[in-house]
Amino acid sequence: MALRVYNTLTRTKEDFQTVIPGQVSMYLCGPTVYKPAHIGHMVGPVIFDTVKKYLAYSGYVVKFVINITDVDDKLIVKAAEKGTTVKALAEQMTADYFDNLKLMGVDSIDHFPYATDHINDMLEMIQKLIEKGHAYPLNGDVYFAVETDDDYGKLSNRSISQMLAGTRVEANDTKRNPADFALWKSSKPGEPAWDSPWGPGRPGWHIECSAMSAKILGESIDIHGGGLDLMFPHHENELAQSECCSGKPFARYWLHNGLMQSGKGTGKVGGAHSKHGDAPASGATVGSPSSAEDTAAAQIAGKLAGSAGAESVKTAVFAHHAPEVVRFFLLSTHYRSPIDFSMENISATEKSLEGFYRLFETVERIAGVSYFGLAAPTTQATATSLEGLPPEFAAVLVEQRTKFLDAMDDDFSTGGATACLFEIRRILNSFINDKKLEIGGAEADKAALLTGVRLLKELTNILGVLKTAPAKKGGTSDGLADGLMALILDIRADARTNKNWPVADKIRNALKALNIVVEDSPTGARWTRG
RNA sequence: GGCGCCGUAGCCAAGUGGCUUAAGGCAACGGAUUGCAAAUCCGUCAUUUCGUCGGUUCAAAUCCGACCGGCGCCUCCA
């Protein structure tokens, strides 16, 4: 099966064919760095990071760019409020953004161009648009003339007249058409400004993406991504500017991810980025809390959705759950669907992952190999070979890998793909049981198990999930606790040998009350902090 | 008003014309295993059923229409 992707431009699923065979250029609209990133801002990066990982696995050489918009009206306002400079605020918020990307395992971005490093590229583009008659200066501003672009509206499927009907347009507008948008904005004293042929000013929103995309990836790129909220006006305008300037198709495939929502009946938490700011939709209330968990969810959702006291992802979510749980959650549904954020949903995801961590512990006991340190093939061309494995075992594993890749080929259906991960988990556990690997077993079977585990790793790497051991399971952090537990379990083992069940059970129950879980196995008792 | 999106089991969610008399996970319930548990495995868990009602078709969760319910966007200055 070959890759097919849903293209917003054509509203259909199309066969994926790149401008240059074997290569993919991808651009994702990044954040305006004026406040800490929240969970909604991570949706786009996680999805497109996964897209890149899959394309790379499929054999493409991928160049992936996310821009940092570090000059914008919102930045100016926010910096003034905080009594700091635009530059300082932008640097601080960019650092926060990067921190969060790192935690989410978003590690495949090749370039993070900053808008302020590319003012000249933008000026050149604006100049060219004026020369071609697509833009005009007006009182120190420069506007794009939408009527000069016959295709204007093709991405969001609307015509200029439709857009204007139903919207209140200010009468005082001196623009040629009320739908014309700014390429360059004159600045007031004290605002960040760059010299231009039209006087000091700063770039309008949209032009930075057109200029940087062309500069770094070329005038025609393969994939342009972003949140659904950016389709209009941002992407429509980018598209118009870029194509009018270059005379070439701007992007072959436009991919838009669904927005995160917070609880039932509430507004979006945010798109992949905060180009629009992220004022919550009206009525963004969270249902009345009925438990501690709900209360936490309500507080967090409130913080995320609220414009005041914006809390970073780190403090709001990662404090309670491993970042990779959040990543898995984001990938558990299709990228074009909206996803409901709640602590309840995150907890459910965490629970569903426990079986994987247990399997990894079992594998480590059997083969002495840590899943998290295991190397696995990174391309389909070098995929894990299952030759020499018991035929039935190999057959079911291959079936799942095929299903996984078919799902990914079908417009990156990560939700469908995850089902295969759970199936493989079951297959591996079954194999461990059948071959009695926990209590010995044949070396050949242990090797076969490891091959199966490597195949699982091959697939989880594509999604960028299950890369980190869950925190604080078992002992290790405290030598005294380890020693005491060893002693206690030794005494309990004696009791069990003597069939002194009351004592054995008393110890186990008492430890449980201390949040220590004891599990017996043929090879002895194990304990973990619950 | 315009342009769109969504509605699948208690919950999350895949599937967009026949290969599916609807994946997978969580929860639940049987069984194997265990001294008893836990974990794991096996089984059960939507059978005119995929928001409702019509229609198209040999065939629809999947296409069309209407309706109900939920939601997004309709530009910088809001």
Side-chain angles (χ1 to χ4, degrees):
Chain A
M1 201 160 137
L3 177 60
R4 288 168 65 77
V5 299
Y6 183 86
N7 188 355
T8 304
L9 200 54
T10 58
R11 316 257 158 196
T12 55
K13 246 184 241 182
E14 299 177 15
D15 290 331
F16 186 68
Q17 289 189 313
T18 59
V19 176
I20 301 171
Q23 294 185 28
V24 179
S25 49
M26 241 166 104
Y27 186 96
L28 175 66
C29 288
T32 297
V33 283
Y34 73 105
K35 66 176 205 179
H38 68 226
I39 186 68
H41 295 130
M42 295 295 113
V43 177
V46 165
I47 285 165
F48 288 95
D49 176 63
T50 304
V51 166
K52 167 158 180 188
K53 285 175 161 70
Y54 183 63
L55 290 172
Y57 176 85
S58 302
Y60 290 99
V61 175
V62 188
K63 201 166 175 184
F64 180 19
V65 172
I66 295 184
N67 67 286
I68 301 292
T69 298
D70 57 353
V71 57
D72 176 87
D73 293 357
K74 289 193 289 294
L75 261 160
I76 294 170
V77 170
K78 202 73 177 178
E81 272 176 23
K82 293 191 140 192
T84 182
T85 63
V86 166
K87 191 169 192 292
L89 178 63
E91 280 172 4
Q92 200 184 330
M93 294 306 130
T94 302
D96 174 77
Y97 184 69
F98 287 163
D99 280 353
N100 285 303
L101 291 186
K102 191 175 177 192
L103 284 167
M104 295 299 288
V106 176
D107 57 10
S108 72
I109 292 120
D110 300 294
H111 297 279
F112 284 105
Y114 291 76
T116 54
D117 287 339
H118 294 270
I119 302 292
N120 282 338
D121 298 312
M122 298 181 218
L123 289 173
E124 279 172 28
M125 190 170 234
I126 294 168
Q127 190 74 265
K128 196 168 171 187
L129 283 167
I130 293 174
E131 284 164 15
K132 287 189 145 191
H134 288 296
Y136 57 93
L138 181 69
N139 305 326
D141 300 334
V142 179
Y143 291 96
F144 182 88
V146 294
E147 286 173 72
T148 66
D149 178 11
D150 292 340
D151 287 338
Y152 190 75
K154 70 178 177 183
L155 180 65
S156 54
N157 188 30
R158 57 188 88 194
S159 67
I160 296 170
S161 54
Q162 275 174 353
M163 283 160 34
L164 299 179
T167 13
R168 285 160 300 176
V169 175
E170 295 299 325
N172 72 342
D173 229 328
T174 48
K175 292 187 287 188
R176 292 182 191 170
N177 186 303
D180 291 352
F181 55 91
L183 298 172
W184 186 259
K185 300 164 108 165
S186 58
S187 57
K188 299 188 190 82
E191 292 180 347
W194 287 262
D195 287 332
S196 84
W198 317 284
R202 61 178 182 276
W205 176 37
H206 318 308
I207 192 71
E208 82 279 24
C209 287
S210 288
M212 295 192 287
S213 166
K215 173 91 174 184
I216 298 166
L217 296 173
E219 289 176 327
S220 286
I221 66 172
D222 294 305
I223 294 175
H224 192 113
L228 215 42
D229 58 335
L230 292 185
M231 190 168 84
F232 190 89
H234 184 57
H235 289 160
E236 191 71 60
N237 290 172
E238 254 186 274
L239 175 60
Q241 291 164 351
S242 291
E243 297 198 342
C244 284
C245 184
S246 72
K248 299 174 187 167
F250 176 43
R252 280 176 102 98
Y253 305 100
W254 285 86
L255 272 54
H256 288 100
N257 61 269
L259 304 179
M260 177 173 277
Q261 306 188 333
S262 157
K264 280 182 191 155
T266 68
K268 67 179 177 181
V269 168
H273 15 57
S274 56
K275 291 283 190 180
H276 276 184
D278 30 29
S282 53
T285 50
V286 176
S288 46
S290 59
S291 71
E293 174 104 310
D294 288 347
T295 305
Q299 287 171 345
I300 288 161
K303 280 173 184 167
L304 290 169
S307 53
E311 196 74 50
S312 79
V313 184
K314 272 188 291 187
T315 50
V317 187
F318 298 162
H320 304 279
H321 299 280
E324 75 169 13
V325 172
V326 179
R327 180 171 178 123
F328 200 100
F329 169 67
L330 294 179
L331 295 176
S332 66
T333 178
H334 188 90
Y335 76 87
R336 279 192 283 120
S337 304
I339 184 167
D340 269 336
F341 172 83
S342 71
M343 289 306 266
E344 196 177 36
N345 287 344
I346 298 293
S347 295
T349 301
E350 184 166 59
K351 191 138 201 178
S352 73
L353 295 182
E354 274 174 19
F356 285 106
Y357 297 128
R358 280 197 161 269
L359 170 64
F360 302 157
E361 286 166 11
T362 305
V363 168
E364 185 153 6
R365 282 196 302 274
I366 291 171
V369 172
S370 162
Y371 187 81
F372 307 107
L374 189 67
T378 54
T379 66
Q380 195 162 4
T382 59
T384 307
S385 166
L386 300 179
E387 264 179 59
L389 265 59
E392 282 181 22
F393 185 51
V396 289
L397 287 175
V398 166
E399 182 189 354
Q400 292 309 138
R401 176 166 61 190
T402 303
K403 281 176 75 173
F404 180 98
L405 298 179
D406 281 351
M408 292 300 285
D409 268 343
D410 184 11
D411 197 30
F412 311 106
S413 182
T414 53
T418 54
C420 303
L421 266 27
F422 288 100
E423 286 292 339
I424 293 173
R425 179 180 83 183
R426 200 197 82 246
I427 290 164
L428 295 178
N429 273 322
S430 217
F431 189 74
I432 290 168
N433 282 356
D434 290 349
K435 303 295 181 184
K436 304 195 187 325
L437 297 183
E438 281 260 56
I439 51 173
E443 286 307 311
D445 288 332
K446 288 187 184 178
L449 172 65
L450 269 186
T451 301
V453 171
R454 192 170 293 112
L455 182 143
L456 177 62
K457 178 90 174 184
E458 181 183 327
L459 302 184
T460 58
N461 276 169
I462 292 173
L463 299 183
V465 296
L466 298 173
K467 298 182 94 160
T468 319
K472 52 180 183 332
K473 281 278 180 183
T476 69
S477 62
D478 183 346
L480 177 62
D482 287 351
L484 287 172
M485 281 307 300
L487 174 64
I488 292 167
L489 291 182
D490 189 41
I491 292 169
R492 180 165 173 273
D494 289 342
R496 293 186 70 222
T497 304
N498 298 326
K499 298 194 189 301
N500 190 344
W501 311 126
V503 168
D505 290 346
K506 183 177 180 182
I507 291 173
R508 188 171 62 194
N509 291 336
L511 287 171
K512 178 146 196 185
L514 296 171
N515 211 24
I516 291 173
V517 178
V518 174
E519 297 176 13
D520 292 315
S521 81
T523 53
R526 295 189 291 270
W527 67 279
T528 53
R529 290 180 211 267

